[in-house]
Amino acid sequence: QQQVKQSPQSLIVQKGGIPIINCAYENTAFDYFPWYQQFPGKGPALLIAIRPDVSEKKEGRFTISFNKSAKQFSLHIMDSQPGDSATYFCAASISQGGSQGNLIFGKGTKLSVKP
Amino acid sequence: DSGVTQTPKHLITATGQRVTLRCSPRSGDLSVYWYQQSLDQGLQFLIQYYNGEERAKGNILERFSAQQFPDLHSELNLSSLELGDSALYFCASSVVADSYNEQFFGPGTRLTVL
């Protein structure tokens, strides 16, 4: 199983700070990179996603930066709020072939935003 | 609420037993995915069905099996349970089996094997 490596494992920031979560992948066949947010007791929910033909995508306070040559992508949360406290997972998948759509997840980053 | 329902919410059983987890996808979604979430392994893809047919397998043990029925609901069967099978099991659904289609996750079933 191809890996997606995520760091850091946990992150504490003050309200208004900009937490950054990084992910690296190995399989160059990956062509879809979503980020999921999970609150305690809930299932993961899609936050934002990017394809490798763009280097950055913004949705509200959330930005994905993508570096295809380095095989890395990251999530930035602008003006973070206590309500953003959750576990964030990066993931990757392949759009072609028998494994299409199956998400390979990073191990997760537990974010805590202090008021 | 994602629109994906899973039952039961919690399940406590003993080693060696067999359990069945049930998932109803969002209305109109043809593809169902099962994932296992544990502290040590994280979120791992187990198996995918599309319109009743198995599409792909991930890290699914031979003791585990699944199926998708004509009404598109899916069941994950876990047999000869071991302590290490204790985990959260999530079902997700998407419109089609395509990488770019958002997967909507259910609330999960927490399995505890004693």
Side-chain angles (χ1 to χ4, degrees), chain B residues 72-83:
Chain B
L72 300 178
H73 91 270
S74 178
E75 293 181 356
L76 179 66
N77 301 295
L78 316 176
S79 61
S80 303
L81 285 168
E82 302 175 359
L83 296 177

Side-chain angles (χ1 to χ4, degrees), chain A residues 2-13:
Chain A
Q2 297 293 333
Q3 276 192 320
V4 175
K5 295 182 180 179
Q6 183 172 347
S7 63
Q9 194 172 0
S10 63
L11 192 52
I12 301 173
V13 300

Side-chain angles (χ1 to χ4, degrees), chain B residues 43-112:
Chain B
L43 263 166
Q44 289 202 91
F45 165 70
L46 295 178
I47 196 164
Q48 177 198 8
Y49 279 82
Y50 175 71
N51 204 19
E53 293 189 4
E54 181 183 303
R55 177 63 70 95
K57 274 186 173 181
N59 295 322
I60 188 166
L61 300 172
E62 286 192 9
R63 299 183 286 108
F64 296 0
S65 65
Q67 54 184 326
Q68 186 178 27
F69 294 86
D71 66 352
L72 300 178
H73 91 270
S74 178
E75 293 181 356
L76 179 66
N77 301 295
L78 316 176
S79 61
S80 303
L81 285 168
E82 302 175 359
L83 296 177
D85 298 328
S86 295
L88 263 170
Y89 291 85
F90 287 105
C91 165
S93 72
S94 64
V95 175
V96 294
D98 182 288
S99 182
Y100 303 141
N101 276 268
E102 178 178 354
Q103 290 184 29
F104 294 85
F105 281 73
T109 293
R110 181 174 293 280
L111 173 66
T112 303

